[in-house]
Amino acid sequence: MGRTADAIAEGVAIATAAARLAVKNHILIGTIAENGIFDTDKYVADAREALRAMAEESEEVERNLVALRKRARGRHSDPSGTHDYRDRDVRNLRRRAKQSHGVASKLRELMDDEAALRTIVEEARAGAWADVRHNLDRRLRVEGMRPDQDPDYDRMREARMQALRLVDLQALSSQQRAKAKRNEPKDPDQAE
């Protein structure tokens, strides 16, 4: 029973980490990309939905393993491939189905545990803030760096100058031409 309980605990840990990642992404999109506010209750619903999807996935895996086990029973020839199960695999398939069932059951329990859902949301919020803080810190360090602090400044200067000429100045020129064209007076003969 120890191996099954350990496998179930590991499956639940992986599923809650995936739920936390999904909620973290929802927080980042909802608060930054969509300029929304952080609403714990909304993200609790997102966490519940993520756990539900993973519970359903575990239940589907369990159904598939049961079908494979039934098909494998009584087959004693050599398998033709990795997923061509035989009678000697029945015990392992039963254990794997039991593990999938256990993971799904635990995830369904977590879906009804408000405190656990709020913990997932809080950990996701902390992860989202860590990502934002890290990105801001990196951008400020790179963009705020002076030439004398950048060890690659001299080596990369020519590439930056070429990018400025070929990309930035061309784009600026194109924008200026488009702006001038929009501001041109319309020809009265063409308006008729």
Side-chain angles (χ1 to χ4, degrees):
M1 187 62 190
R3 286 193 307 181
T4 297
D6 290 345
I8 291 170
E10 185 176 326
V12 170
I14 291 168
T16 54
R20 196 169 30 256
L21 181 61
V23 172
K24 179 182 89 167
N25 290 338
H26 288 180
I27 291 170
L28 289 169
I29 290 168
T31 58
I32 295 173
E34 297 173 356
N35 203 23
I37 61 168
F38 179 80
D39 178 9
T40 301
D41 292 333
K42 177 198 179 306
Y43 296 114
V44 163
D46 289 345
R48 184 177 288 115
E49 176 58 27
L51 291 174
R52 183 198 58 73
M54 286 179 267
E56 288 177 356
E57 186 177 318
S58 284
E59 290 162 349
E60 179 64 25
V61 168
E62 178 189 9
R63 284 189 292 275
N64 290 339
L65 288 167
V66 167
L68 288 170
R69 188 181 78 227
K70 287 178 180 177
R71 194 172 33 209
R73 190 176 308 281
R75 296 177 74 193
H76 297 285
S77 60
D78 288 335
S80 61
T82 305
H83 299 288
D84 186 20
Y85 296 106
R86 298 296 185 243
D87 196 72
R88 63 181 167 266
D89 300 312
V90 167
R91 198 168 115 208
N92 185 39
L93 291 169
R94 182 180 299 116
R95 180 174 41 252
R96 287 173 49 199
K98 187 176 182 180
Q99 291 166 350
S100 291
H101 178 79
V103 169
S105 295
K106 293 284 186 187
L107 292 177
R108 295 241 180 237
E109 287 174 20
L110 283 175
M111 287 171 54
D112 296 329
D113 185 347
E114 192 73 19
L117 292 170
R118 288 186 178 277
T119 298
I120 290 171
V121 170
E122 180 53 34
E123 291 170 350
R125 187 201 59 77
W129 173 239
D131 283 0
V132 169
R133 187 176 55 240
H134 173 75
N135 285 334
L136 284 173
D137 185 51
R138 185 174 47 81
R139 282 191 78 181
L140 289 173
R141 196 173 313 121
V142 170
E143 291 180 14
M145 187 179 291
R146 295 189 326 253
D148 61 325
Q149 294 175 326
D150 185 358
D152 293 329
Y153 181 81
D154 290 331
R155 185 173 64 82
M156 297 301 292
R157 185 176 190 283
E158 183 56 36
R160 286 192 306 274
M161 294 306 291
Q162 188 174 9
L164 176 68
R165 283 189 303 274
L166 297 175
V167 178
D168 297 331
L169 290 178
Q170 294 294 326
L172 182 60
S173 175
S174 177
Q175 288 173 353
Q176 291 301 317
R177 282 191 307 271
K179 184 178 178 181
K181 190 173 185 173
R182 281 192 306 270
N183 293 336
E184 281 181 359
K186 299 290 181 194
D187 185 7
D189 294 334
Q190 290 179 347
E192 294 175 7

